[in-house]
């Protein structure tokens, strides 16, 4: 990569801001570029394993360097621990080392010279006397409301948050001062932290920084690309066969350019990394329209929107580019040292259900067997006016009988052939003489105006038998849900206390969203209330 020292301030600004969703402080950006190189940092909390979505910020870092910026990459190890302890303390150093090796391998893969970058770990300066005193100074002027609001899109939200999560936004704001930068780059999901920084840093006597925000790029399922949603992302070490398999399952509806992760990756990574003379080539048989070339992303998007390009042909071309990007990373991690690092930083889950402190029999939401069902028959309970008796297809050999107290809230016509979300591993129990083998999950709230109930809605295109799980608490072959929840240990009762809808009507446990491979589980209107 050649950094163009001859670029004008306007051309540098165009490079720095292209493909961004929002810029805060554009006037300051323009003024700095007229005088000197912009100093900018990008930070990443060292939690889940990096995946191909990390190529989106990496391609922007390439843009910053082309524009002559001085770029610092922060491995935010302390932030990783503060965010709901996503990175246990004993794994923190290992995961930070894993991030450093993978990020450097990614940058090398796209031709970014590492000698033009500065790498730093948060713990190198965040434990200093000066930084610690500033944390205390900041805590004396920041309200609990502002701290919680600032971290709403980044830190896991729970009813009774840990103090660590409330500290997180303040530390990220102070990083801007202690890294001596003009600007911070991140995703638009960090906007509230950025505006928090702009409000509070000047109150400590520090300068307000510029903030550059990438759009949130959808994953392969059409929702946010997440480390916790296996089908939504391609791991940096996935072999070609896994890349092909995941792309084959990716959401890429003909003509649909919204929430299309395959197109989004093409825009934000592949085209961003092209040299001026490079083109995006779709190789097709003459019978299918022949080979076609695109000079820019807009041409490709229009061609796809007009359904002149089949999703399979697009996926095939993207697959080739992804494997080209991943091959140097695979080779780097083929060494015994890095193989060992990867295994130690992200050990497979124990077959015993344990928590981060090592205690056995952790009562966590991964123990719940939640599936999508379809009500194929429904009738009133012969001995109870408030109860329905439902036959629910859960992808099993025969439908299950489930009894639900929903007569007052949902009509039979509304329930028949409806997709529902079912807790499947409760111990079967007789309800007025009829054995119920599961629970149809609903959002439910009662106040002085009466009781409101809404049946949870699965994602569009769900099928009976699709499994649902909570982000960061996936079920797996090594850690499956309980076959039957032991009623004596009150497992469901203890978990249900924190099972609620969010302010966006999403089903969640302690802020961890309930999802399937096709998206989030929601209700229609009820916010911040219990699910049962």
């Amino acid at each position: 990569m050649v950094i163009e020292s001859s670029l004008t301030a306007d051309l540098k600004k165009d490079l720095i801001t292209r493909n961004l969703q929002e810029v805060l402080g554009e006037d300051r950006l323009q003024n700095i570029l007229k005088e000197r190189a912009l100093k900018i940092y990008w930070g990443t909390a060292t939690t889940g394993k990096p995946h191909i979505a990390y190529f989106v910020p990496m391609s922007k870092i390439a843009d910053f360097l082309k524009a002559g910026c001085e770029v610092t990459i922060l491995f935010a190890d302390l932030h990783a621990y503060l965010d709901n302890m996503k990175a246990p303390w004993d794994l923190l150093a290992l995961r930070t080392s894993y991030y450093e090796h993978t990020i450097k391998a990614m940058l090398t893969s796209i031709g970014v010279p590492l000698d033009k970058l500065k790498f730093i770990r948060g713990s190198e300066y965040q434990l200093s006397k000066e930084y610690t005193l500033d944390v205390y100074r900041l805590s004396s002027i920041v309200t609990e409301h502002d701290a919680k609001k600032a971290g709403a899109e980044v830190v896991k939200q729970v009813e009774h948050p840990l103090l660590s999560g409330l500290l997180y936004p303040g530390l990220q704001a102070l990083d801007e001062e202690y890294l001596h930068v003009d600007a911070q780059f991140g995703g638009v999901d960090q906007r509230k932290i950025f505006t928090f920084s702009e409000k509070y840093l000047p109150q400590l006597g520090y300068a307000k920084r510029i903030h550059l925000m990438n759009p949130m790029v959808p994953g392969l399922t059409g929702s946010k690309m997440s480390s916790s949603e296996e089908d939504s992302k391609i791991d940096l070490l996935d072999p070609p066969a896994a890349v092909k398999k995941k792309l084959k399952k990716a959401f890429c509806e003909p003509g649909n350019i919204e929430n299309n992760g395959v197109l989004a990756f093409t825009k934000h990574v592949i085209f961003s990394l092209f040299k001026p003379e490079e083109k995006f080539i779709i190789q097709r048989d003459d019978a299918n329209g022949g080979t076609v070339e695109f000079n820019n992303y807009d041409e490709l998007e229009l061609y796809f929107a007009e359904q002149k390009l089949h999703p399979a042909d697009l996926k095939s071309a993207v697959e080739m580019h992804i494997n080209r990007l991943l091959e140097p990373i695979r080779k780097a991690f083929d060494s015994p040292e890095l193989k060992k690092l990867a295994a130690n930083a992200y050990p497979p889950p124990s077959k015993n259900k344990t928590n981060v402190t090592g205690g056995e029999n952790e009562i966590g939401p991964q123990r719940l067997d939640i599936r999508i069902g379809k009500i194929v028959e429904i009738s009133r309970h012969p001995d109870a006016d408030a109860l329905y008796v439902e036959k629910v297809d859960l992808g099993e050999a025969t439908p299950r009988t489930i009894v639900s107290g929903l007569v007052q809230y949902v009509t039979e016509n509304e329930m028949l052939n409806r997709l529902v979300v079912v807790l499947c591993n409760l111990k079967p129990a007789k309800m007025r003489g009829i054995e119920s083998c599961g629970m149809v999950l609903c959002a439910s709230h009662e106040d002085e105006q009466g009781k409101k109930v809404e049946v949870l809605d699965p994602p569009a295109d769900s099928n009976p038998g699709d499994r649902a799980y909570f982000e960061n608490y996936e079920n797996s072959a090594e850690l499956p849900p309980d076959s039957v929840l032991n009623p004596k240990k009150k497992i469901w009762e203890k978990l249900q206390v924190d099972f609620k809808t969010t302010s966006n009507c999403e089903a969640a446990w302690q802020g961890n969203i309930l999802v399937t491979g096709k998206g989030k589980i929601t209700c229609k209107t009820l916010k911040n209330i219990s699910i049962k």
Side-chain angles (χ1 to χ4, degrees), residues 20 22-25 28 40-43 146 149-154 168-170 172-176 183-202 207-216:
L20 294 181
E22 188 175 2
V23 176
L24 299 178
R28 278 173 282 144
I40 184 170
Y41 101 87
W42 172 76
D146 281 4
K149 178 182 176 183
E153 302 297 324
V154 178
Y168 190 109
Q172 187 168 336
L174 287 173
D175 289 340
E176 297 178 345
Q184 183 179 173
F185 165 60
V188 74
D189 60 333
Q190 303 206 31
R191 190 183 195 281
K192 291 179 181 177
I193 290 183
F194 293 163
T195 55
F196 172 95
S197 172
E198 294 192 4
K199 175 180 178 180
Y200 283 106
L201 278 191
K208 184 187 294 187
R209 265 58 181 197
I210 300 159
H211 294 102
L212 311 171
M213 285 167 272
N214 251 351
M216 298 308 295

Side-chain angles (χ1 to χ4, degrees), residues 294-322:
F294 300 94
N295 296 303
N296 57 63
Y297 173 76
D298 291 338
E299 291 179 1
L300 172 66
E301 184 182 90
L302 179 61
Y303 201 77
F304 186 85
E306 293 176 346
Q307 298 194 35
K308 296 178 181 178
L309 177 61
H310 192 276
D313 293 323
L314 174 62
K315 289 179 180 182
S316 179
V318 170
E319 178 187 343
M320 179 195 70
H321 284 280
I322 288 177

